[in-house]
Amino acid sequence: TFTIHRAKNGKEAVDLCQENKMIDLVLMDIKMPIMDGYDATRAIKKIRPDLKIVAQTAYSTEDDIKKALDAGCDDFLSKPVDQNKLKSVLNNHFNFLSNKTSS
């Protein structure tokens, strides 16, 4: 079961992660108002260093990926998000998809 929380900006994302210890993964948009995804990731990692953060952005050059990882993101997805890549990222961090049996 998943519960999805949505933040309108980077500051809200930081606040959500600080207030809700049940959050296990953040899909972090890089371009947001008030506080961008890089600054929000740095702030979240200071308060919850083990929380997995996956950058998601239309900016997907090698420099963009490096900048996201340098900010503390654990992984990277380019937009539009490909369903198979998303499954792979989720499986890498949670290993729950491989536990399902095929029908």
Side-chain angles (χ1 to χ4, degrees):
T1 303
F2 293 97
T3 301
I4 297 173
H5 302 273
R6 184 173 178 174
K8 296 176 186 164
N9 59 62
K11 180 165 179 356
E12 276 190 25
V14 173
D15 292 345
L16 273 170
C17 291
Q18 188 167 21
E19 295 166 4
N20 188 339
K21 302 300 182 198
M22 297 299 291
I23 294 173
D24 296 315
L25 175 77
V26 175
L27 295 175
M28 181 66 73
D29 195 357
I30 296 300
K31 188 175 180 181
M32 292 185 291
I34 300 177
M35 178 186 288
D36 68 25
Y38 302 118
D39 290 337
T41 296
R42 287 184 197 97
I44 291 167
K45 287 294 190 169
K46 283 182 183 174
I47 56 175
R48 299 208 32 214
D50 296 329
L51 181 59
K52 300 295 183 191
I53 300 177
V54 178
Q56 58 175 18
T57 180
Y59 306 105
S60 58
T61 67
E62 284 186 32
D63 286 342
D64 295 321
I65 294 169
K66 182 180 181 335
K67 192 172 177 182
L69 296 176
D70 287 348
C73 291
D74 299 286
D75 219 325
F76 185 92
L77 287 170
S78 60
K79 289 181 182 178
V81 175
D82 176 275
Q83 181 178 352
N84 291 323
K85 289 181 182 175
L86 176 60
K87 283 181 184 178
S88 177
V89 166
L90 292 174
N91 194 43
N92 285 342
H93 296 289
F94 295 109
N95 202 25
F96 62 82
L97 297 174
S98 63
N99 294 333
K100 285 189 170 183
T101 55
S102 299
S103 359

